[in-house]
Amino acid sequence: MARKRPMTTEELFNRINGILKEKGRLPDILDYGLATHSPVPITNYEYGLKNKLDYGGNEGRTTSGGRWLCADRSGAETYLDMWIEYTADGKRCVSGLGTFKTLRTDDKAMHIMAALLADFIIEEYAYVNANLDDFTWGARHPGDVGSAPTGVERRGVDVHVIEESGEKSKWGYSCGTMKAALKRKDELLMKYNKVIVRDNATRKERIYENGG
């Protein structure tokens, strides 16, 4: 069933966390994995998934320049923070996804948390690319839900290459207007044989061929 509203950063973290749990990829050493308490809607898949894996104090992470200040690790924990970054109105914006924490700080625990980071990145990439429609709402950036009177609506036009396998490429372009999308289509047809253009409002797609 098609979503009525964009997925939030909280929902995305919980969805990937759930996938990792189903696959048995959540390590036993975790104290918790908590999604952000300040969710924002993700209205465009053109964002960067960012992370930080580091030690922190048990009374909250005391940092200076992103580093925990302590000569040893006693009373510390290991944290893995996940967030997304995007550009809105020419400014860099950051929205948190969630945090994993373990009470262990030994070297093996750090390697385990690094493996969790890799698994999260892999599953998030696969999930978003398999569900691009859920991350295509025509807004200029994640967090911009628009102002449609009937709620958030899908807008804009997506352009993708049809690969030699016949599958739509996992990468593509999100354009604000059909005119911009057709211009992008013409540029892509100079390098690729087939390009598909999708109107997100009507969900209609058209395939263009090189020389056609």
Side-chain angles (χ1 to χ4, degrees):
M1 182 180 296
R3 292 183 62 91
K4 299 298 183 182
R5 299 187 66 83
M7 178 175 288
T8 68
T9 47
E10 178 185 25
E11 289 177 300
L12 179 59
F13 181 87
N14 287 333
R15 184 65 55 86
I16 304 306
N17 195 33
I19 292 173
L20 293 173
K21 183 177 181 180
E22 291 175 0
K23 293 186 175 182
R25 303 299 294 176
L26 288 180
D28 295 335
I29 67 171
L30 283 182
D31 183 41
Y32 64 68
L34 295 177
T36 177
H37 295 302
S38 302
V40 299
I42 305 174
T43 57
N44 193 302
Y45 54 77
E46 294 181 347
Y47 62 80
L49 178 63
K50 304 298 182 180
N51 63 82
K52 179 183 178 183
L53 175 59
D54 208 346
Y55 302 112
N58 57 7
E59 296 299 329
R61 279 160 286 182
T62 302
T63 61
S64 176
R67 294 296 301 172
W68 181 58
L69 302 179
C70 190
D72 59 49
R73 303 174 192 169
S74 58
E77 299 100 10
T78 304
Y79 291 87
L80 171 57
D81 293 319
M82 308 297 302
W83 68 91
I84 61 173
E85 292 185 1
Y86 49 92
T87 301
D89 300 322
K91 298 180 180 179
R92 172 178 169 272
C93 298
V94 176
S95 294
L97 292 181
T99 299
F100 294 101
K101 186 189 88 170
T102 177
L103 299 176
R104 287 176 49 179
T105 58
D106 55 278
D107 292 349
K108 184 176 180 180
M110 180 60 78
H111 283 289
I112 292 173
M113 295 296 282
L116 173 60
L117 168 59
D119 286 335
F120 192 99
I121 292 173
I122 291 169
E123 295 299 341
E124 186 273 346
Y125 180 83
Y127 180 81
V128 172
N129 280 292
N131 298 275
L132 284 178
D133 200 45
D134 290 342
F135 298 88
T136 305
W137 298 83
R140 291 171 297 172
H141 52 79
D144 177 7
V145 298
S147 57
T150 57
V152 181
E153 299 176 351
R154 286 182 170 85
R155 301 187 300 277
V157 186
D158 285 351
V159 184
H160 290 265
V161 168
I162 301 296
E163 299 178 338
E164 293 183 1
S165 63
E167 298 293 325
K168 181 170 65 176
S169 64
K170 293 183 178 180
W171 58 272
Y173 297 90
S174 182
C175 304
T177 65
M178 180 60 73
K179 181 179 180 180
L182 293 177
K183 180 179 179 181
R184 178 68 69 178
K185 175 264 298 181
D186 291 338
E187 294 173 352
L188 290 173
L189 284 176
M190 296 177 67
K191 299 180 180 179
Y192 303 95
N193 292 326
K194 293 183 180 181
V195 173
I196 185 170
V197 176
R198 183 182 192 276
D199 187 325
N200 294 318
T202 63
R203 300 192 180 185
K204 292 183 178 180
E205 298 180 341
R206 180 177 176 181
I207 296 177
Y208 295 84
E209 297 188 33
N210 196 345

